[in-house]
Amino acid sequence: NTTHWSAQLEHLRKTRRAIALDLRGHGLSQPPKDGDYRLVSQAGDIDAVVNKAGIKKFVLVGHSMGGSVAIAYAGLHPDRVAGLLIVDSGGDPKQFPEEQKQQIVKAMESDAYTDVTESYWKQLLVGSDHRIAERIMKDMKSMPKEMVVSQVKELFWFDPVPALSRYHGPKLSVITPVNDTEYSLHKLQPDFPHVVVTGTGHWLHMDKPEEFNRILDEFLSGVEVSK
């Protein structure tokens, strides 16, 4: 939810216009009545927000699933994205065995949902500050099962390559060491720079806000966009 970006918003708003949004079903945003959690639909939500705010061109930052939504948006509206910064998002899901994906989804749809999801979230929080970990676990547990299962399905079968191939502006992937593999996002294109932040969990912008903000500032310094 938007509070996860508090340190970045406070930092950026000293010199720039910065907006954070709760994607559908997250934070203060209502779940969609039709149950539509498709990444492309959530990219449409980004478009609705920037249009309402009168923003023509902007830098787009997304974490984890939000990074996939940001990539989908950049592929749909490449001329509006001045820069794309992705934070510890997934890579190429095609490399993940289909049978395994189906097994995980089946387990999540069953009565084992709580055990499966909490075990996964705890893995993502290894290395996190304990206060951040407690906060994230509380936030994650508040999310409805329908939304979580739908989002996992979307991410398991989302191919970021077509969208990335349509976007030719500045981009950067900021990841943890766990996410630095041969199938990682930055390995999908030869011109996709990346930075590794160590000693943190998956929510690295919360665990190490000062380091992340320095990376963000450096990226923004090379991007031309109206404030």
Side-chain angles (χ1 to χ4, degrees):
N1 62 61
T2 56
T3 67
H4 295 177
W5 296 98
S6 296
Q8 285 69 51
L9 293 174
E10 181 181 358
H11 173 72
L12 290 171
R13 285 172 175 168
K14 295 173 183 176
T15 57
R16 297 175 179 268
R17 185 182 189 187
I19 296 174
L21 66 146
D22 287 325
L23 294 173
R24 53 182 64 188
H26 292 73
L28 299 177
S29 291
Q30 294 294 315
K33 294 180 179 179
D34 59 359
D36 180 7
Y37 287 103
R38 292 177 300 160
L39 298 183
V40 67
S41 297
Q42 296 187 76
D45 294 339
I46 295 176
D47 202 47
V49 169
V50 295
N51 288 339
K52 181 70 174 179
I55 302 170
K56 295 181 179 179
K57 198 165 186 177
F58 57 98
V59 173
L60 184 58
V61 181
H63 170 251
S64 195
M65 182 211 76
S68 297
V69 175
I71 290 170
Y73 182 89
L76 292 168
H77 307 279
D79 294 337
R80 298 191 70 177
V81 179
L84 182 65
L85 195 153
I86 306 300
V87 187
D88 217 35
S89 291
D92 184 1
K94 297 191 299 297
Q95 304 302 326
F96 197 52
E98 191 70 19
E99 184 178 349
Q100 256 185 290
K101 290 191 282 191
Q102 295 288 358
Q103 288 175 346
I104 292 172
V105 170
K106 186 176 180 180
M108 291 183 69
E109 291 176 331
S110 73
D111 293 337
Y113 168 81
T114 300
D115 291 338
V116 173
T117 53
E118 290 189 13
S119 175
Y120 178 63
W121 294 334
K122 287 177 181 177
Q123 289 179 28
L124 293 178
L125 288 163
V126 172
S128 289
D129 178 276
H130 73 277
R131 291 166 297 183
I132 298 297
E134 290 175 0
R135 178 181 170 187
I136 292 298
M137 284 300 291
K138 181 180 178 181
D139 288 344
M140 298 294 266
K141 288 178 181 179
S142 70
M143 297 192 302
K145 176 180 177 178
E146 176 194 26
M147 182 185 77
V148 175
V149 174
S150 296
Q151 299 291 240
V152 168
K153 289 180 179 178
E154 280 292 299
L155 294 175
F156 273 171
W157 287 281
F158 172 64
D159 183 357
V161 175
L164 287 172
S165 67
R166 292 190 292 270
Y167 173 72
H168 303 292
K171 55 184 177 288
L172 177 68
S173 179
V174 186
I175 60 173
T176 62
V178 175
N179 202 0
D180 193 6
T181 72
E182 59 180 312
Y183 305 125
S184 296
L185 199 59
H186 60 275
K187 297 292 181 69
L188 302 184
Q189 289 186 315
D191 62 340
F192 203 151
H194 74 286
V195 175
V196 179
V197 177
T198 61
T200 175
H202 180 53
W203 282 263
L204 55 92
H205 57 296
M206 297 175 70
D207 279 321
K208 292 196 171 182
E210 292 183 359
E211 182 175 352
F212 182 82
N213 287 349
R214 285 195 297 271
I215 294 169
L216 180 58
D217 283 343
E218 185 176 341
F219 178 71
L220 291 172
S221 69
V223 175
E224 292 185 11
V225 62
S226 299
K227 296 183 180 179

